Amino acid sequence: MPTLRRLPFLLLFLGLSALASEGRPLLSLQPGTARPGDPVLVTVRGLNEAPTGTLGERPLRFYPVGDGFQAVTGLPVEQTPGQVAVKVTVPTTGSAAPVELSGTLKVVAPGWPARTLKVASKFVKPPPEVQTRMEQDKAAFAAAFAQGFVPPAFGENFAWPRQGRVTAPYGDLRTFNGKKQSQHFGTDVDGAVGTPIYAANAGTVVMKRDNYASGNTVLVYHGAGLYTAYFHLSAFEVKEGQRVERGQLLGKVGNTGRVTGPHLHWGVKVDDLWVDGETLLKLDFGTAPAPAVTQRDKE
């Protein structure tokens, strides 16, 4: 049986035993080795005040957690494999100089598969009469993704939104009808029309809408700049503005929008980047690990 890729945990330190004994802050990263398009969780323990920092050139936005602070961000799909610098500045009291924590995140080649798909021609070259609708969809997505930065609404790790076979992983390089090329910024999970779809974690519904390409769509904002998306639904079971908990019914699998058959397209967006949901499931935010209830096809 195929199994999901395991992700190591990386602990960056400035003399680990000395820091622990002196009560100095500790910096950790998940995953320890990443691919372009992965979400990254940065944790700093042993702090009373929020630090500042960067992953590569991307600023980190920290929120309090336990005895320290966390920030969740992502690597762009264009990220060149190699070493990415992580820098965190820890505030100090009085005249003491700020403590600088630094390290590197190893980024490896993604190895994305490529495939050719056949869809209705109207989705490859939309007719003029739907251009207005597509512009309206674009504006609606922009508004939904413009939520203010707040601490996480969740107290658990993320879970799969439904059980099923992964038919298309994040990062697929696609050619539609032999012409239009794109990349797949989500995870497709197989399912019959009408099978249930659940919230991957607690949050607030910020979109419930029928869109041209994504079909019936639900977006959930989880705080910390992190969203999950559920596309191509056949039915809605939530309202916009509603608070949902992890495992709560959101809707049902369908084949609305640009599809080749019924399935759930599950997306994850953080800091304005679509990232790999399968990696998000393996990040430990300080709670029990997310259960693996599906499997990923080997290409």
Side-chain angles (χ1 to χ4, degrees):
M1 176 181 294
T3 57
L4 293 170
R5 182 169 55 96
R6 297 296 178 186
L7 299 176
F9 179 86
L10 175 64
L11 182 63
L12 306 172
F13 59 93
L14 302 174
L16 179 57
S17 59
L19 286 173
S21 63
E22 296 173 10
R24 300 280 298 281
L26 299 177
L27 170 66
S28 62
L29 298 178
Q30 297 178 65
T33 299
R35 300 182 303 177
D38 272 348
V40 179
L41 181 63
V42 181
T43 304
V44 185
R45 300 289 185 185
L47 297 183
N48 295 320
E49 296 184 42
T52 58
T54 55
L55 174 68
E57 296 182 356
R58 296 186 66 82
L60 298 172
R61 296 189 289 177
F62 286 94
Y63 53 85
V65 56
D67 64 344
F69 293 83
Q70 283 182 335
V72 59
T73 187
L75 295 171
V77 294
E78 303 86 2
Q79 180 71 50
T80 301
Q83 302 293 327
V84 177
V86 183
K87 299 180 181 179
V88 175
T89 300
V90 177
T92 57
T93 58
S95 59
V99 175
E100 302 288 341
L101 303 179
S102 64
T104 57
L105 176 65
K106 182 180 179 182
V107 180
V108 299
W112 288 313
R115 68 182 69 201
T116 299
L117 300 173
K118 180 71 174 179
V119 297
S121 60
K122 67 178 181 178
F123 291 114
V124 176
K125 188 177 180 180
E129 58 267 25
V130 302
Q131 293 297 328
T132 298
R133 182 183 176 189
M134 293 177 68
E135 289 299 318
Q136 292 171 342
D137 292 345
K138 183 178 179 180
F141 271 103
F145 285 132
Q147 307 301 312
F149 186 85
V150 295
F154 53 90
E156 302 176 86
N157 292 338
F158 282 76
W160 285 97
R162 59 165 273 97
Q163 296 186 355
R165 182 172 58 94
V166 172
T167 56
Y170 174 94
D172 262 7
L173 301 172
R174 297 176 160 191
T175 300
F176 289 97
N177 297 3
K179 295 180 180 180
K180 186 175 182 179
Q181 295 182 332
S182 68
Q183 191 163 16
H184 188 230
F185 293 130
T187 302
D188 285 352
V189 184
D190 197 15
V193 172
T195 52
I197 295 168
Y198 304 100
N201 219 330
T204 300
V205 176
V206 293
M207 175 183 281
K208 172 201 166 188
R209 179 182 172 85
D210 177 14
N211 298 295
Y212 181 72
S214 60
N216 291 334
T217 300
V218 170
L219 299 181
V220 177
Y221 181 47
H222 303 283
L226 179 60
Y227 301 79
T228 52
Y230 310 79
F231 291 177
H232 311 308
L233 278 59
S234 61
F236 297 110
E237 299 293 340
V238 290
K239 298 179 180 179
E240 195 165 308
Q242 180 179 341
R243 161 82 185 199
V244 295
E245 303 300 328
R246 189 178 94 151
Q248 184 170 336
L249 183 66
L250 296 179
K252 297 179 180 179
V253 172
N255 56 1
T256 56
R258 186 174 73 177
V259 294
T260 57
H263 69 280
L264 167 67
H265 170 104
W266 180 52
V268 177
K269 196 169 192 180
V270 59
D271 276 349
D272 295 324
L273 292 177
W274 289 107
V275 296
D276 190 346
E278 291 196 60
T279 302
L280 177 71
L281 294 172
K282 300 176 185 67
L283 299 184
D284 185 359
F285 289 83
T287 59
V293 295
T294 188
Q295 64 189 44
R296 173 171 172 169
D297 284 349
K298 295 294 183 181
E299 294 297 328

